[in-house]
Amino acid sequence: RKSDEKTKNEYFQEMVRELWNWGLRPKWVTADSWYSGTDNLKFLRNLEINFMVGIESNRIVSIQPSEYQNVRDIDIVESGLYTHLNGYGFV
């Protein structure tokens, strides 16, 4: 709701906090790329909640130390890829 003047990230974190306040402690959270901002990922990490989120093709990652590139430029095998997400850490 635009009248609330909240960002999508504020809504996301508010929803997770509400679950937390109910006493629920999810092991995992899934979300699409709309909620995959660094602030949200760090928020989940601080609560020790694992996540599986999509990320946009323009996100910057590194599979080699100090060699960052866009996700779209990396060959990702079907089993996945362990990489460093710029601004977050290893994922």
Side-chain angles (χ1 to χ4, degrees), residues 26-89:
K27 297 282 186 198
W28 286 86
V29 168
T30 60
D32 64 19
S33 61
W34 213 54
Y35 296 104
S36 68
T38 304
D39 289 342
N40 286 339
L41 300 183
K42 288 179 179 180
F43 170 76
L44 293 172
R45 177 175 60 194
N46 290 339
L47 291 175
E48 299 180 356
I49 299 174
N50 298 301
F51 56 84
M52 187 180 330
V53 299
I55 60 173
E56 294 294 332
S57 64
N58 65 343
R59 293 295 291 272
I60 304 297
V61 297
S62 173
I63 55 175
Q64 299 292 326
S66 303
E67 293 181 25
Y68 287 91
Q69 59 194 58
N70 288 328
V71 168
R72 72 174 151 259
D73 298 328
I74 296 175
D75 291 324
I76 301 174
V77 295
E78 189 173 318
S79 60
L81 180 65
Y82 186 69
T83 186
H84 188 268
L85 181 61
N86 194 28
Y88 175 79

